[in-house]
Amino acid sequence: MKIVVSGAAGFIGSHMCDRLLDEGHSVTALDNFLTGSSANLAHLKSHPNFRFVEQDITKPFTVEGPVDCVLNMASPASPKDYLEHPIETLDVGSLGTRNMLELALAKNARFLVTSTSECYGDPLVHPQVETYWGNVNPVGPRSCYDESKRFAEAITMAYHRKHGVRTNIARIFNTYGPRMKLDDGRVVPAFLDQALRGESMTVFGSGSQTRSFCYVSDLVDGLFRLMLSEERYPVNLGNPREMTILEFAEHIRKMTGTASQIVFQPLPEDDPKQRKPDITKARTILGWEPRVALEDGLRETVAYFRGVHAQNA
Ligand code: UDP
C-alpha cells in the first residue's frame, strides 16, 4: 500500500513508519517538527520506499499520486507539550484531522486516527471500556488535548457516515519506549532521566494515581492490525498492567540501581486519578494483546536513554 503518515517524526509515528516499511509498504511521511524530531527518521532517509515532506497539516496541502491509506498521527501528546501549545493542539486535532480526512476522501483511501485515553478524562468507570463516554473538563488545562481528540473522533465518524470513508479510531493509552524525548515531561522519560542522572525523582501528588504502560512495539502492532480491520468505532490500545505512580517510581529505582530519592510535588490540575484500558475489544476483534513485559520494555528504553546521555555528554 501507499501510506501517508502525519506526525511521522514523533515518537509513535516514527515507529509506525518503521513497521509499515518492514511490511513492504511505501510511506510518505509528514511532520512540521512542532514536537517531533528529524532524528527519529534519520535512519530512513535513504530507504527506497520512504519519502519525507515537511508539512503542517493544519494548512491546505495535497499529496501527489495514488494513496491507499492515510494515518493521522500528528499531535502534541505530552501534557507539557500541549499545555505549551494549546492552540496548535486544538488546530491539529480539528483542522489537521479534517485535512487528512479530505485527503483520504479524494484518494479513496482508508483512514486511521490516533485518539487517546484522555477522551475518558478523569474516568469514573474503571477499567475504561470503549462504550464509556468519559468525564472530561471542557475548560480545564488539558481540555485543548482532550477536546481536540474528541472532535477528531467525531469528524472521523462524520466522514464515515456522510462519505463512506473506511475509518478506524485508536484510543492510545500511556505508551513508552525509545525515541521519547528526554525532556517531554511525561513520567517515563522524566523518571528515567532523573534516575540516570542521580537526581531526585519527582512524584506528583501522593503518587497514588494509577497508569498502565504499553511498550511501543506492542502499540504499533495494535495500530497495524486496526488499520486493516473493518471496525469503525474506537478501539482501546494499551497495556492493562496497572500500577500507582509511586510503585512505578520504586520500580525504576530498583531497575536502574540509582541512589535517587523520591520527592513529592503538587499534583497538576485535572490529573486523572486512575487509568487502565479494558482491551477485551482489541483482543476479540484484532486478536491483539501486549506481549512485552514492563521489565523488558524498560530495559530497551533505559539503553536508549543512556545512549542519548552519552551523546549529550
Ligand atoms: N508524573 C509524576 N512525575 C513526573 C511526571 C508525571 O508523578 O515527573 C505523573 C503525572 O502526574 C501523572 C502520571 O505521572 O499522574 C502520568 O503522567 P504523564 O505526563 O506521563 O501522562 P498522562 O498519563 O498524565 O497523560
Side-chain angles (χ1 to χ4, degrees), residues 172-204:
I172 300 177
F173 284 65
N174 294 68
T175 301
Y176 71 98
R179 301 187 197 154
M180 289 189 102
K181 283 186 296 177
L182 241 67
D183 60 349
D184 88 352
R186 281 185 281 199
V187 71
V188 175
F191 283 179
L192 285 178
D193 190 42
Q194 290 160 347
L196 295 179
R197 288 175 193 278
E199 292 170 2
S200 299
M201 294 168 67
T202 51
V203 168
F204 297 163

Side-chain angles (χ1 to χ4, degrees), residues 81-98:
D81 284 340
Y82 57 72
L83 293 178
E84 203 173 312
H85 304 289
I87 316 282
E88 290 89 339
T89 302
L90 282 155
D91 278 351
V92 77
S94 53
L95 305 173
T97 301
R98 176 146 192 205

